[in-house]
PDB file of all heavy atoms in Angstrom:
ATOM      1  N   GLU X 120      24.225  42.498 -84.997  1.00 55.00           N
ATOM      2  CA  GLU X 120      24.297  41.225 -85.733  1.00 55.00           C
ATOM      3  C   GLU X 120      23.339  40.184 -85.181  1.00 55.00           C
ATOM      4  O   GLU X 120      22.748  39.398 -85.882  1.00 55.00           O
ATOM      5  CB  GLU X 120      25.679  40.692 -85.718  1.00 55.00           C
ATOM      6  CG  GLU X 120      25.837  39.384 -86.471  1.00 55.00           C
ATOM      7  CD  GLU X 120      27.271  38.866 -86.382  1.00 55.00           C
ATOM      8  OE1 GLU X 120      28.095  39.552 -85.847  1.00 55.00           O
ATOM      9  OE2 GLU X 120      27.536  37.784 -86.960  1.00 55.00           O
ATOM     10  N   TYR X 121      23.168  40.195 -83.836  1.00 53.00           N
ATOM     11  CA  TYR X 121      22.275  39.174 -83.260  1.00 53.00           C
ATOM     12  C   TYR X 121      20.925  39.723 -82.815  1.00 53.00           C
ATOM     13  O   TYR X 121      20.301  39.101 -81.966  1.00 53.00           O
ATOM     14  CB  TYR X 121      23.028  38.530 -82.063  1.00 53.00           C
ATOM     15  CG  TYR X 121      24.241  37.708 -82.512  1.00 53.00           C
ATOM     16  CD1 TYR X 121      25.495  38.242 -82.385  1.00 53.00           C
ATOM     17  CD2 TYR X 121      24.055  36.472 -83.124  1.00 53.00           C
ATOM     18  CE1 TYR X 121      26.574  37.471 -82.834  1.00 53.00           C
ATOM     19  CE2 TYR X 121      25.126  35.728 -83.516  1.00 53.00           C
ATOM     20  CZ  TYR X 121      26.403  36.238 -83.391  1.00 53.00           C
ATOM     21  OH  TYR X 121      27.436  35.517 -83.834  1.00 53.00           O
ATOM     22  N   GLY X 122      20.593  40.885 -83.298  1.00 54.00           N
ATOM     23  CA  GLY X 122      19.236  41.384 -83.055  1.00 54.00           C
ATOM     24  C   GLY X 122      19.049  42.048 -81.687  1.00 54.00           C
ATOM     25  O   GLY X 122      18.020  42.008 -81.161  1.00 54.00           O
ATOM     26  N   LEU X 123      20.121  42.687 -81.158  1.00 51.00           N
ATOM     27  CA  LEU X 123      20.019  43.370 -79.879  1.00 51.00           C
ATOM     28  C   LEU X 123      19.888  44.847 -80.091  1.00 51.00           C
ATOM     29  O   LEU X 123      20.692  45.424 -80.819  1.00 51.00           O
ATOM     30  CB  LEU X 123      21.252  43.056 -79.031  1.00 51.00           C
ATOM     31  CG  LEU X 123      21.565  41.579 -78.816  1.00 51.00           C
ATOM     32  CD1 LEU X 123      22.816  41.467 -77.974  1.00 51.00           C
ATOM     33  CD2 LEU X 123      20.392  40.878 -78.173  1.00 51.00           C
ATOM     34  N   THR X 124      18.925  45.484 -79.503  1.00 50.00           N
ATOM     35  CA  THR X 124      18.627  46.902 -79.653  1.00 50.00           C
ATOM     36  C   THR X 124      18.541  47.633 -78.367  1.00 50.00           C
ATOM     37  O   THR X 124      18.581  46.964 -77.292  1.00 50.00           O
ATOM     38  CB  THR X 124      17.318  47.123 -80.495  1.00 50.00           C
ATOM     39  OG1 THR X 124      16.248  46.783 -79.612  1.00 50.00           O
ATOM     40  CG2 THR X 124      17.271  46.308 -81.725  1.00 50.00           C
ATOM     41  N   ASP X 125      18.366  48.937 -78.427  1.00 50.00           N
ATOM     42  CA  ASP X 125      18.222  49.766 -77.225  1.00 50.00           C
ATOM     43  C   ASP X 125      16.824  50.018 -76.856  1.00 50.00           C
ATOM     44  O   ASP X 125      16.515  50.906 -76.039  1.00 50.00           O
ATOM     45  CB  ASP X 125      18.975  51.102 -77.351  1.00 50.00           C
ATOM     46  CG  ASP X 125      20.481  50.893 -77.485  1.00 50.00           C
ATOM     47  OD1 ASP X 125      20.938  49.856 -76.909  1.00 50.00           O
ATOM     48  OD2 ASP X 125      21.102  51.702 -78.112  1.00 50.00           O
ATOM     49  N   SER X 126      15.879  49.338 -77.500  1.00 48.00           N
ATOM     50  CA  SER X 126      14.448  49.600 -77.229  1.00 48.00           C
ATOM     51  C   SER X 126      14.107  49.341 -75.775  1.00 48.00           C
ATOM     52  O   SER X 126      14.431  48.338 -75.212  1.00 48.00           O
ATOM     53  CB  SER X 126      13.574  48.735 -78.113  1.00 48.00           C
ATOM     54  OG  SER X 126      12.245  48.827 -77.775  1.00 48.00           O
ATOM     55  N   ASP X 127      13.429  50.343 -75.136  1.00 45.00           N
ATOM     56  CA  ASP X 127      13.010  50.229 -73.758  1.00 45.00           C
ATOM     57  C   ASP X 127      11.908  49.186 -73.559  1.00 45.00           C
ATOM     58  O   ASP X 127      11.770  48.669 -72.491  1.00 45.00           O
ATOM     59  CB  ASP X 127      12.543  51.572 -73.200  1.00 45.00           C
ATOM     60  CG  ASP X 127      13.616  52.557 -73.063  1.00 45.00           C
ATOM     61  OD1 ASP X 127      14.809  52.121 -72.942  1.00 45.00           O
ATOM     62  OD2 ASP X 127      13.360  53.769 -73.060  1.00 45.00           O
ATOM     63  N   ASP X 128      11.205  48.862 -74.681  1.00 46.00           N
ATOM     64  CA  ASP X 128      10.108  47.974 -74.546  1.00 46.00           C
ATOM     65  C   ASP X 128      10.630  46.491 -74.349  1.00 46.00           C
ATOM     66  O   ASP X 128       9.934  45.671 -73.872  1.00 46.00           O
ATOM     67  CB  ASP X 128       9.214  47.988 -75.804  1.00 46.00           C
ATOM     68  CG  ASP X 128       8.533  49.339 -75.889  1.00 46.00           C
ATOM     69  OD1 ASP X 128       8.354  49.972 -74.811  1.00 46.00           O
ATOM     70  OD2 ASP X 128       8.168  49.727 -77.037  1.00 46.00           O
ATOM     71  N   ASP X 129      11.870  46.287 -74.780  1.00 45.00           N
ATOM     72  CA  ASP X 129      12.364  44.942 -74.795  1.00 45.00           C
ATOM     73  C   ASP X 129      13.539  44.707 -73.839  1.00 45.00           C
ATOM     74  O   ASP X 129      14.342  43.814 -74.012  1.00 45.00           O
ATOM     75  CB  ASP X 129      12.779  44.455 -76.181  1.00 45.00           C
ATOM     76  CG  ASP X 129      11.587  44.486 -77.125  1.00 45.00           C
ATOM     77  OD1 ASP X 129      10.499  44.095 -76.677  1.00 45.00           O
ATOM     78  OD2 ASP X 129      11.763  44.873 -78.281  1.00 45.00           O
ATOM     79  N   LYS X 130      13.704  45.617 -72.860  1.00 42.00           N
ATOM     80  CA  LYS X 130      14.891  45.523 -72.040  1.00 42.00           C
ATOM     81  C   LYS X 130      14.889  44.271 -71.246  1.00 42.00           C
ATOM     82  O   LYS X 130      15.958  43.779 -70.961  1.00 42.00           O
ATOM     83  CB  LYS X 130      14.902  46.720 -71.054  1.00 42.00           C
ATOM     84  CG  LYS X 130      15.212  48.019 -71.760  1.00 42.00           C
ATOM     85  CD  LYS X 130      15.208  49.164 -70.760  1.00 42.00           C
ATOM     86  CE  LYS X 130      15.527  50.519 -71.493  1.00 42.00           C
ATOM     87  NZ  LYS X 130      15.500  51.635 -70.558  1.00 42.00           N
ATOM     88  N   ASP X 131      13.788  43.744 -70.808  1.00 44.00           N
ATOM     89  CA  ASP X 131      13.735  42.529 -70.038  1.00 44.00           C
ATOM     90  C   ASP X 131      13.446  41.282 -70.812  1.00 44.00           C
ATOM     91  O   ASP X 131      13.110  40.211 -70.266  1.00 44.00           O
ATOM     92  CB  ASP X 131      12.711  42.655 -68.924  1.00 44.00           C
ATOM     93  CG  ASP X 131      13.054  43.725 -67.932  1.00 44.00           C
ATOM     94  OD1 ASP X 131      14.282  43.896 -67.764  1.00 44.00           O
ATOM     95  OD2 ASP X 131      12.133  44.383 -67.381  1.00 44.00           O
ATOM     96  N   GLU X 132      13.504  41.326 -72.105  1.00 43.00           N
ATOM     97  CA  GLU X 132      13.051  40.230 -72.930  1.00 43.00           C
ATOM     98  C   GLU X 132      14.251  39.570 -73.647  1.00 43.00           C
ATOM     99  O   GLU X 132      14.127  39.122 -74.801  1.00 43.00           O
ATOM    100  CB  GLU X 132      12.050  40.680 -73.972  1.00 43.00           C
ATOM    101  CG  GLU X 132      10.765  41.332 -73.393  1.00 43.00           C
ATOM    102  CD  GLU X 132      10.099  40.337 -72.510  1.00 43.00           C
ATOM    103  OE1 GLU X 132      10.159  39.131 -72.920  1.00 43.00           O
ATOM    104  OE2 GLU X 132       9.504  40.704 -71.551  1.00 43.00           O
ATOM    105  N   PHE X 133      15.363  39.566 -73.061  1.00 43.00           N
ATOM    106  CA  PHE X 133      16.577  38.998 -73.654  1.00 43.00           C
ATOM    107  C   PHE X 133      16.356  37.483 -73.737  1.00 43.00           C
ATOM    108  O   PHE X 133      16.249  36.860 -72.711  1.00 43.00           O
ATOM    109  CB  PHE X 133      17.766  39.337 -72.838  1.00 43.00           C
ATOM    110  CG  PHE X 133      19.080  39.003 -73.475  1.00 43.00           C
ATOM    111  CD1 PHE X 133      19.763  39.953 -74.228  1.00 43.00           C
ATOM    112  CD2 PHE X 133      19.567  37.729 -73.352  1.00 43.00           C
ATOM    113  CE1 PHE X 133      20.937  39.616 -74.847  1.00 43.00           C
ATOM    114  CE2 PHE X 133      20.818  37.404 -73.934  1.00 43.00           C
ATOM    115  CZ  PHE X 133      21.484  38.349 -74.737  1.00 43.00           C
ATOM    116  N   GLU X 134      16.223  36.985 -74.915  1.00 44.00           N
ATOM    117  CA  GLU X 134      15.926  35.579 -75.114  1.00 44.00           C
ATOM    118  C   GLU X 134      17.152  34.857 -75.754  1.00 44.00           C
ATOM    119  O   GLU X 134      17.509  35.153 -76.889  1.00 44.00           O
ATOM    120  CB  GLU X 134      14.688  35.370 -76.055  1.00 44.00           C
ATOM    121  CG  GLU X 134      13.431  35.952 -75.475  1.00 44.00           C
ATOM    122  CD  GLU X 134      13.022  35.253 -74.253  1.00 44.00           C
ATOM    123  OE1 GLU X 134      13.420  34.009 -74.137  1.00 44.00           O
ATOM    124  OE2 GLU X 134      12.386  35.804 -73.420  1.00 44.00           O
ATOM    125  N   PHE X 135      17.712  33.993 -74.955  1.00 42.00           N
ATOM    126  CA  PHE X 135      18.959  33.406 -75.387  1.00 42.00           C
ATOM    127  C   PHE X 135      18.778  32.275 -76.412  1.00 42.00           C
ATOM    128  O   PHE X 135      19.566  32.028 -77.295  1.00 42.00           O
ATOM    129  CB  PHE X 135      19.692  32.795 -74.168  1.00 42.00           C
ATOM    130  CG  PHE X 135      20.129  33.876 -73.223  1.00 42.00           C
ATOM    131  CD1 PHE X 135      19.320  34.213 -72.116  1.00 42.00           C
ATOM    132  CD2 PHE X 135      21.343  34.543 -73.451  1.00 42.00           C
ATOM    133  CE1 PHE X 135      19.778  35.206 -71.241  1.00 42.00           C
ATOM    134  CE2 PHE X 135      21.706  35.521 -72.574  1.00 42.00           C
ATOM    135  CZ  PHE X 135      20.940  35.856 -71.503  1.00 42.00           C
ATOM    136  N   GLU X 136      17.605  31.632 -76.347  1.00 45.00           N
ATOM    137  CA  GLU X 136      17.433  30.560 -77.280  1.00 45.00           C
ATOM    138  C   GLU X 136      17.344  31.035 -78.723  1.00 45.00           C
ATOM    139  O   GLU X 136      17.748  30.420 -79.692  1.00 45.00           O
ATOM    140  CB  GLU X 136      16.150  29.785 -76.868  1.00 45.00           C
ATOM    141  CG  GLU X 136      16.296  29.031 -75.518  1.00 45.00           C
ATOM    142  CD  GLU X 136      15.043  28.283 -75.197  1.00 45.00           C
ATOM    143  OE1 GLU X 136      14.070  28.371 -75.995  1.00 45.00           O
ATOM    144  OE2 GLU X 136      15.106  27.655 -74.154  1.00 45.00           O
ATOM    145  N   ASP X 137      16.666  32.260 -78.935  1.00 46.00           N
ATOM    146  CA  ASP X 137      16.532  32.827 -80.269  1.00 46.00           C
ATOM    147  C   ASP X 137      17.837  33.425 -80.755  1.00 46.00           C
ATOM    148  O   ASP X 137      18.245  33.325 -81.963  1.00 46.00           O
ATOM    149  CB  ASP X 137      15.431  33.911 -80.307  1.00 46.00           C
ATOM    150  CG  ASP X 137      14.085  33.321 -80.081  1.00 46.00           C
ATOM    151  OD1 ASP X 137      13.895  32.071 -80.331  1.00 46.00           O
ATOM    152  OD2 ASP X 137      13.178  34.069 -79.613  1.00 46.00           O
ATOM    153  N   VAL X 138      18.526  34.148 -79.853  1.00 44.00           N
ATOM    154  CA  VAL X 138      19.744  34.798 -80.237  1.00 44.00           C
ATOM    155  C   VAL X 138      20.749  33.776 -80.726  1.00 44.00           C
ATOM    156  O   VAL X 138      21.475  33.985 -81.741  1.00 44.00           O
ATOM    157  CB  VAL X 138      20.292  35.703 -79.060  1.00 44.00           C
ATOM    158  CG1 VAL X 138      21.658  36.236 -79.454  1.00 44.00           C
ATOM    159  CG2 VAL X 138      19.328  36.781 -78.836  1.00 44.00           C
ATOM    160  N   PHE X 139      20.839  32.736 -79.995  1.00 44.00           N
ATOM    161  CA  PHE X 139      21.905  31.759 -80.285  1.00 44.00           C
ATOM    162  C   PHE X 139      21.381  30.488 -80.951  1.00 44.00           C
ATOM    163  O   PHE X 139      21.830  29.405 -80.803  1.00 44.00           O
ATOM    164  CB  PHE X 139      22.614  31.349 -78.978  1.00 44.00           C
ATOM    165  CG  PHE X 139      23.297  32.504 -78.312  1.00 44.00           C
ATOM    166  CD1 PHE X 139      22.779  32.987 -77.116  1.00 44.00           C
ATOM    167  CD2 PHE X 139      24.388  33.143 -78.901  1.00 44.00           C
ATOM    168  CE1 PHE X 139      23.397  34.041 -76.516  1.00 44.00           C
ATOM    169  CE2 PHE X 139      24.977  34.236 -78.295  1.00 44.00           C
ATOM    170  CZ  PHE X 139      24.446  34.683 -77.073  1.00 44.00           C
ATOM    171  N   SER X 140      20.261  30.668 -81.683  1.00 44.00           N
ATOM    172  CA  SER X 140      19.702  29.552 -82.405  1.00 44.00           C
ATOM    173  C   SER X 140      20.659  29.076 -83.511  1.00 44.00           C
ATOM    174  O   SER X 140      20.631  27.892 -83.841  1.00 44.00           O
ATOM    175  CB  SER X 140      18.311  29.900 -82.952  1.00 44.00           C
ATOM    176  OG  SER X 140      18.406  30.971 -83.849  1.00 44.00           O
TER     177      SER X 140
END
Side-chain angles (χ1 to χ4, degrees):
E120 180 181 356
Y121 293 102
L123 304 179
T124 71
D125 292 333
S126 173
D127 292 335
D128 296 332
D129 297 323
K130 289 179 180 179
D131 292 329
E132 302 297 327
F133 190 95
E134 297 297 331
F135 294 95
E136 293 179 359
D137 292 336
V138 173
F139 299 110
S140 60

